[in-house]
Amino acid sequence: MSVDTLPSPEECNCFAVRAAARHVTQSYDQFLAPTGLRTTQFSILAKLKRKGPLTINALAEDMLMDRTTLGRNILPLERGGLIRVAPAASDRRAKDLRLTKAGEKRFLAALKRLKALNDGVVAAAGISPDDLLITLYEVPGENISFGRGLAQRAHISDTDPRAADLATTRRTLR
């Protein structure tokens, strides 16, 4: 196949989805800026609030992030006193991440701003919050679907953490 017949970056679905994701992330980062958090940092605090202390490896796996990338995002949270990093009780080689009182306070402030933004996004989309989340989580051609009906189609049980995360996200954003 010659270079002339290859699709341009603008015609590549993967490129378009990644560009859209970057644009949305930048918008959310700007909206959260007054709280001093970026979207990834907010997500880390949300996971720790929802699930309690987690090891770095468990959090990286849960967030579908590379451990090194997660480590870069944890440092400013630790320096800011929003999380505490300590040796895990079960394995001194592992590190537990814990949300601090200051971290919880910052998370709740950011959550209020994020809820307002999400309400606006849902209104602009013209569909229900559940339908919007399901649409955003559903990836065509992959079994990465999270709503109850979609979970059944994708063979994800109600006990799968991905299904539980969507339900928790829906409750949190309301």
Side-chain angles (χ1 to χ4, degrees), residues 134-146:
I134 289 168
T135 301
L136 292 173
Y137 277 123
E138 186 177 58
V139 177
E142 298 289 333
N143 285 331
I144 307 175
S145 306
F146 300 106

Side-chain angles (χ1 to χ4, degrees), residues 42 49 103-113:
F42 173 84
K49 171 78 172 143
E104 185 171 354
K105 184 177 177 182
R106 181 86 57 90
F107 166 74
L108 293 174
L111 183 61
K112 286 180 185 175
R113 289 190 64 79

Side-chain angles (χ1 to χ4, degrees), residues 6 14-15 26-27 37 45 49-50 57 83 95-96 99 103 108 111 119-120 139-140 142 153 164 167 171:
L6 292 174
C14 182
F15 175 83
Q26 289 169 357
S27 297
L37 293 175
L45 297 181
K49 171 78 172 143
R50 184 179 305 136
N57 287 341
I83 64 170
K95 302 283 187 203
D96 268 343
L99 187 63
L108 293 174
L111 183 61
D119 289 347
V139 177
E142 298 289 333
R153 274 201 340 239
R171 284 193 305 274

Side-chain angles (χ1 to χ4, degrees), residues 6-171:
L6 292 174
S8 69
E10 295 77 23
E11 296 173 300
C12 173
N13 290 335
C14 182
F15 175 83
V17 169
R18 292 185 71 185
R22 284 190 298 274
H23 179 73
V24 170
T25 299
Q26 289 169 357
S27 297
Y28 273 72
D29 281 345
Q30 288 174 352
F31 200 79
L32 286 176
T35 68
L37 293 175
R38 298 179 59 87
T39 53
T40 304
Q41 295 168 331
F42 173 84
S43 297
I44 291 168
L45 297 181
K47 285 285 185 185
L48 294 174
K49 171 78 172 143
R50 184 179 305 136
K51 295 191 171 193
L54 293 169
T55 65
I56 292 174
N57 287 341
L59 182 60
E61 182 179 326
D62 200 44
M63 294 188 68
L64 303 175
M65 290 179 78
D66 178 81
R67 189 181 186 283
T68 306
T69 303
L70 179 63
R72 285 192 304 269
N73 283 280
I74 287 170
L75 289 175
L77 295 173
E78 183 182 20
R79 280 193 306 264
L82 304 179
I83 64 170
R84 188 168 49 88
V85 180
S90 60
D91 181 352
R92 305 304 279 173
R93 295 170 296 171
K95 302 283 187 203
D96 268 343
L97 305 175
R98 296 177 186 274
L99 187 63
T100 64
K101 293 285 185 197
E104 185 171 354
K105 184 177 177 182
R106 181 86 57 90
F107 166 74
L108 293 174
L111 183 61
K112 286 180 185 175
R113 289 190 64 79
L114 192 63
K115 183 178 180 343
L117 179 59
N118 283 334
D119 289 347
V121 169
V122 166
I127 60 176
S128 76
D130 287 351
D131 288 343
L132 179 60
L133 281 173
I134 289 168
T135 301
L136 292 173
Y137 277 123
E138 186 177 58
V139 177
E142 298 289 333
N143 285 331
I144 307 175
S145 306
F146 300 106
R148 184 179 301 268
L150 294 173
Q152 290 170 347
R153 274 201 340 239
H155 308 291
I156 297 172
S157 73
D158 287 342
T159 58
D160 188 299
R162 295 174 296 176
D165 277 351
L166 178 62
T168 303
T169 300
R170 281 193 295 237
R171 284 193 305 274

